[in-house]
Amino acid sequence: MSTLTEAPTMLRVEGVHKWMGHNHVLRGVDLEVRQGEIVCILGPSGSGKSTLLRCINHLDPVDGGVVEVESERIGYETRRGTLYEQSERDVARARRRIGMVFQHFNLFQHLTALENVTYGPVKVLRRPRAEAVAHGRELLASVGLGQKEDSYPSELSGGQQQRVAIARALAMRPQLMMFDEPTSALDPELVGEVLAVMKRVAEGGMTMVVVTHEIGFAREVADRVVFMDQGVVVEEGTASEVLDDPRHERTASFLRRVR
Ligand SMILES: Nc1ncnc2c1ncn2[C@@H]1O[C@H](COP(=O)(O)OP(=O)(O)OP(=O)(O)O)[C@@H](O)[C@H]1O
């Protein structure tokens, strides 16, 4: 932990607001993630966790506040009355630094596992195909799917598809990986294999933000646990601080429910 507190800031979220229709979903969220840090975000359904990740990745624009990834600003600045937005090109460049893994895998169904993994490097980053294929094979092997490179998503289990999705995100060589409830669409017996891969990615030094209901994973892997409710960060701390001795009644009652 001591080295992490001195590590440079990878992600800074400051005073972020987001409206979805008439819903004030994010109400001034602050979050700082340092290089190499693993942050798990917990919170009840509807508290704004997915919306926060979408805002960080600029899949949804924020309505106020600042999002910076590696000091590159991809949010809006509404303080002091100035509204600020970067060009689409700058946003795309900043977004490329983030690997995103979704609940429902979102693989291309008409592409094999290896083609899913090489698609971004070849089509978006314009890397030579041979280099992308070699790296893609390495990544598929690292998630335990070396033998499945020619399989289509429909031929893979949910756990295998999610592992392909993780390899696909890593293939873009991101600086930050974000996971949005990556195991909640899986049959219980497949959850462990995906969490094991995520743990290995964390051990490799990746900076990670993980929205999850997997308390055991948070306890084992997270450097910091953040509890969100009703569009704000209610409390944060080490896993044992937040999970064993929550300061806030809202955190305590959520933990009683999920346990
Ligand atoms: N397109 C939309 N229009 C209006 N409200 C929306 C829209 N999308 C999401 N919301 C609302 O925003 C709030 C936050 O949703 P979000 O999905 O971010 O929560 P969450 O904490 O990730 O929940 P879950 O754990 O169920 O995924 C919810 O109240 C949801 O109903």
Side-chain angles (χ1 to χ4, degrees):
M1 278 300 284
S2 58
T3 49
L4 279 176
T5 54
E6 288 152 24
T9 300
M10 173 64 73
L11 169 69
R12 188 168 73 89
V13 173
E14 200 182 294
V16 161
H17 287 262
K18 178 70 185 170
W19 291 81
M20 301 292 271
H22 295 296
N23 242 341
H24 194 181
V25 176
L26 300 180
R27 299 162 174 252
V29 175
D30 296 321
L31 179 69
E32 190 171 346
V33 180
R34 292 181 180 275
Q35 202 174 310
E37 201 177 13
I38 313 297
V39 174
C40 284
I41 303 180
L42 309 178
S45 180
S47 55
K49 306 177 301 290
S50 299
T51 305
L52 176 62
L53 294 198
R54 292 178 62 80
C55 285
I56 292 170
N57 207 10
H58 216 281
L59 293 167
D60 278 330
V62 302
D63 294 320
V66 172
V67 177
E68 280 180 0
V69 180
E70 263 220 313
S71 304
E72 187 141 358
R73 190 164 288 198
I74 55 173
Y76 292 71
E77 171 67 274
T78 54
R79 286 172 303 180
R80 296 183 294 280
T82 45
L83 186 66
Y84 167 89
E85 186 188 11
Q86 284 189 319
S87 70
E88 279 297 307
R89 206 164 131 256
D90 289 341
V91 168
R93 202 178 65 227
R95 194 193 277 168
R96 240 177 255 153
R97 298 175 178 191
I98 303 174
M100 185 84 191
V101 175
F102 299 92
Q103 188 176 357
H104 292 290
F105 330 135
N106 295 10
L107 296 176
F108 294 121
Q109 294 299 312
H110 63 292
L111 299 181
T112 65
L114 183 60
E115 287 164 350
N116 264 283
V117 173
T118 56
Y119 182 91
V122 172
K123 302 281 185 199
V124 181
L125 301 181
R126 307 270 172 214
R127 294 262 190 275
R129 182 173 295 278
E131 178 196 308
V133 166
H135 187 217
R137 288 200 166 119
E138 233 173 74
L139 287 168
L140 283 175
S142 77
V143 300
L145 293 173
Q147 308 301 313
K148 297 285 184 186
E149 66 176 56
D150 295 325
S151 300
Y152 287 89
S154 60
E155 299 167 329
L156 298 172
S157 72
Q160 289 171 331
Q161 289 185 64
Q162 193 59 299
R163 286 186 279 150
V164 174
I166 293 171
R168 179 181 61 175
L170 291 170
M172 299 295 279
R173 301 184 192 273
Q175 273 137 332
L176 166 68
M177 284 279 284
M178 298 201 300
F179 298 77
D180 191 0
E181 298 194 26
T183 57
S184 44
L186 299 177
D187 291 338
E189 71 272 19
L190 302 178
V191 168
E193 66 187 53
V194 171
L195 294 179
V197 165
M198 290 168 60
K199 192 174 166 206
R200 280 207 299 280
V201 174
E203 286 164 353
M206 179 61 71
T207 311
M208 289 171 40
V209 176
V210 184
V211 169
T212 185
H213 293 297
E214 295 292 334
I215 302 288
F217 177 83
R219 188 183 289 286
E220 197 182 348
V221 178
D223 296 300
R224 193 147 49 93
V225 171
V226 171
F227 178 72
M228 269 185 81
D229 195 15
Q230 297 176 17
V232 291
V233 171
V234 173
E235 69 177 292
E236 57 178 296
T238 63
S240 67
E241 281 167 355
V242 175
L243 300 175
D244 298 334
D245 193 16
R247 276 171 290 149
H248 209 290
E249 174 48 32
R250 280 196 265 169
T251 319
S253 84
F254 169 78
L255 290 171
R256 279 195 297 273
R257 283 201 307 279
V258 294
R259 277 169 185 151

